[in-house]
């Protein structure tokens, strides 16, 4: 029988354990949530409901490490609203109940995205603006109503800004744009504020972290989008920098700090919402790879915090559960297909055996304001 990619991953992770620095405090030392809290920063993780329910060791680590949970998939349109007259809150409710038991906050991801919708939604949007608006309103009504007690911060929109390599437009082509026109984000944020006046409204995107021409232009576009919203009086409270770090891309602390300060100057909060490390290859020595990932994470998180960032969430906690180690890899929209390469990826602070990796220590030191290593 052919070993699945998951077997290969776990086997490789186990084989590499001796290469990862261990510490006697690893098993029960204080978690990142406590270390970050001393800096006034909320540390959180993306969570999968089934992992919290079925994997007790993972659940214990999630409770110890995170002050905040965000559903990795359970808050997306296709999970919550699989058919027009069917809503399914099971996954979100599981995550919210876990969070309540462990004194954790929950943030929502995501009300609007061009991906992760079932066919019925895309077909309804294609029927025109009036139908699109009524679908949007019904979803916001039901979802924001159901989650009001548990979720006080939602990604109202995710990844709406166009990628510089295939569009000169500000907004990405999407079923929402085609249905409702270029004001669709204004409409969505206004509607969210109307439904729940005290909810934190966040715009979330990728491609703002590195020192590349792509990231330079993406930062310019994201800033133009949120500045335009502020100028038009559209309610928005925060910008989420996803933080899917491409390990060998160049990083400029100056550019990231400037961006964070510019967003802060508009009166908006800045959160890192989906931190992990995507590597160009996953076959070489894990210890050397971990060391490079940790240095990049330390530089990025230190920079964002020094410039006024207020929360850091990883896109998962352990390499046991990550989009970068999923088999098969996730469905991604075509323009965002530069996902992780096959092989034993090591994107997160804990390894597949829940041991703390150099990335965990890099985060701890960034929260403590200490240099790396
Ligand atoms: O395939 C089923 C689909 O038929 C069903 O309708 C759906 C409803 O629950 O589940 C689907 O399963 C998988 C889904 O995750 C489970 O939530 C999909 O096959 C799989 O493609 C999907 O991948 C997720 C991907 O977003 C697309 O939604 C990854 O786990 C998740 O880590 C990834 O997260 C994104 C962020 O939302 C936005 N930023 C980038 C980040 C990484 O790609």
């Amino acid at each position: 029988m052919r070993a699945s990619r998951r077997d290969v991953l776990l086997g490789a992770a186990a084989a590499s354990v001796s290469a990862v620095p261990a510490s006697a405090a690893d098993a029960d030392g204080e978690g990142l949530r406590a270390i970050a809290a001393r800096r006034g920063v909320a540390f959180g993780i993306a969570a999968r409901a089934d992992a919290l329910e079925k994997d007790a060791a993972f659940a214990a680590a999630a409770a110890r490490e995170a002050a905040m949970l965000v559903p990795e998939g359970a808050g997306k349109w296709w999970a919550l609203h699989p058919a027009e007259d069917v809503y399914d809150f099971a996954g979100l409710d599981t995550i919210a109940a876990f969070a309540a038991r462990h004194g954790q906050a929950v943030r929502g991801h995501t009300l609007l995205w061009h991906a992760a919708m079932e066919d019925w939604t895309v077909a309804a949007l294609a029927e025109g603006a009036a139908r699109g608006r009524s679908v949007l309103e019904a979803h916001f009504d039901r979802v924001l109503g159901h989650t009001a007690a548990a979720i006080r911060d939602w990604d109202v929109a995710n990844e709406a800004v166009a990628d510089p390599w295939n569009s000169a437009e500000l907004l990405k082509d999407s079923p929402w744009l085609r249905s409702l026109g270029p004001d669709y984000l204004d409409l969505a944020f206004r509607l969210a504020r109307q439904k729940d006046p005290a909810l934190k409204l966040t715009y979330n995107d990728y491609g703002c972290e590195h020192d590349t021409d792509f990231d330079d232009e993406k930062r310019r576009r994201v800033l133009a989008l949120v500045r335009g919203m502020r100028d038009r009086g559209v309610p928005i409270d925060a910008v989420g920098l996803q933080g899917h770090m491409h390990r060998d891309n160049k990083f400029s602390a100056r550019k990231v700090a400037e961006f964070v300060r510019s967003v802060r100057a508009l009166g908006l909060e800045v959160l890192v919402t989906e931190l992990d490390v995507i590597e160009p290859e996953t076959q070489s020595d894990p210890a050397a790879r971990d060391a490079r990932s940790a240095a990049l994470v330390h530089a990025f998180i230190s920079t964002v915090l020094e410039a006024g960032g207020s929360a850091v969430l990883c896109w998962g906690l352990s390499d046991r559960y990550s989009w970068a180690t999923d088999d098969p890899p996730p469905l991604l929209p075509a323009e965002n297909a530069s996902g992780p390469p096959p092989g034993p990826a090591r994107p997160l602070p804990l390894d597949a055996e829940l041991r703390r990796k150099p990335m965990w220590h890099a985060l701890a030191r960034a929260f403590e304001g200490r240099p790396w290593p």
Side-chain angles (χ1 to χ4, degrees):
M1 193 181 71
R2 203 173 139 255
S4 75
R5 191 174 151 221
R6 169 78 62 198
D7 295 335
V8 173
L9 290 175
L10 294 176
S16 71
V17 160
S18 60
V20 176
S23 138
D26 276 359
D28 24 52
E30 76 182 338
L32 289 172
R33 67 184 284 176
I35 299 169
R38 283 199 287 276
R39 177 84 175 265
V41 170
F43 175 74
I45 59 168
R48 298 179 177 185
D50 56 344
L52 294 179
E53 275 182 321
K54 294 180 191 148
D55 184 339
F58 175 80
R64 185 172 58 242
E65 299 289 354
M68 187 186 286
L69 303 180
V70 57
E72 182 178 353
K76 288 174 182 167
W77 197 292
W78 63 6
L80 289 178
H81 204 165
E84 184 152 16
D85 53 355
V86 177
Y87 286 85
D88 180 353
F89 291 101
L92 261 194
D93 289 349
T94 296
I95 290 170
F98 183 93
R101 283 199 301 280
H102 298 286
Q104 297 164 314
V106 185
R107 64 184 310 275
H109 173 85
T110 169
L111 292 172
L112 283 194
W113 194 20
H114 58 283
M117 288 177 282
E118 295 293 356
D119 292 347
W120 78 263
T121 317
V122 178
L125 295 180
E127 288 170 28
R131 177 91 165 101
R133 187 175 172 130
S134 88
V135 164
L136 175 76
E137 286 205 34
H139 187 84
F140 276 39
D141 248 343
R142 189 67 183 272
V143 173
L144 293 180
H146 183 93
T147 60
I151 302 186
R152 305 308 308 146
D153 169 13
W154 266 96
D155 287 335
V156 178
N158 183 47
E159 304 177 359
V161 167
D163 287 333
W165 62 51
N166 59 16
S167 171
E169 303 294 324
L170 179 65
L171 295 180
K172 182 178 283 172
D173 183 32
S174 90
W176 294 107
L177 178 67
R178 272 173 263 143
S179 182
L180 297 169
D183 296 339
Y184 84 93
L185 291 173
D186 291 9
L187 171 70
F189 278 78
R190 287 190 206 277
L191 202 59
R193 175 63 31 103
Q194 197 184 312
K195 306 267 175 226
D196 186 343
L199 183 68
K200 187 194 288 183
L201 309 180
T202 300
Y203 175 74
N204 191 49
D205 216 330
Y206 61 84
C208 298
E209 298 83 3
H210 288 289
D211 186 11
T212 67
D213 293 345
F214 178 98
D215 291 67
D216 286 345
E217 177 60 11
K218 196 80 186 259
R219 279 187 285 267
R220 196 191 65 71
R221 291 181 186 194
V222 170
L223 206 48
L225 174 75
V226 297
R227 182 174 284 131
M229 290 171 74
R230 293 294 293 181
D231 291 349
R232 292 189 295 279
V234 176
I236 174 170
D237 302 304
V239 170
L241 294 186
Q242 290 188 359
H244 293 290
M245 306 305 289
H246 289 258
R247 198 202 58 206
D248 290 353
N249 277 7
K250 281 198 296 173
F251 174 73
S252 163
R254 179 182 62 77
K255 288 183 179 181
V256 169
E258 256 173 38
F259 177 74
V260 172
R261 288 201 189 95
S262 304
V263 175
R264 300 277 297 126
L266 295 172
L268 306 180
E269 265 185 63
V270 175
L271 327 172
V272 173
T273 51
E274 304 185 16
L275 179 69
D276 60 12
V277 181
I278 303 306
E279 302 171 274
E281 55 78 27
T282 48
Q283 307 302 324
S284 60
D285 174 38
R289 288 162 46 206
D290 280 355
R292 292 170 70 180
S293 297
L296 176 59
V297 163
H298 183 271
F300 175 59
I301 296 304
S302 299
T303 301
V304 172
L305 295 181
E306 279 158 25
S310 50
V312 175
L313 293 98
C314 287
W315 203 237
L317 173 63
S318 151
D319 298 341
R320 189 179 288 188
Y321 304 111
S322 160
W323 72 297
T325 55
D326 276 347
D327 184 10
L331 295 173
L332 287 177
E335 75 277 9
N336 186 18
S338 62
R346 302 178 61 80
L348 289 165
L350 306 185
D351 71 11
E353 306 300 319
L354 306 176
R355 294 186 179 87
R356 291 173 174 174
K357 289 162 52 187
M359 179 176 170
W360 185 97
H361 295 280
L363 283 166
R365 291 180 81 104
F367 293 139
E368 290 166 345
R370 293 162 68 201
W372 181 259

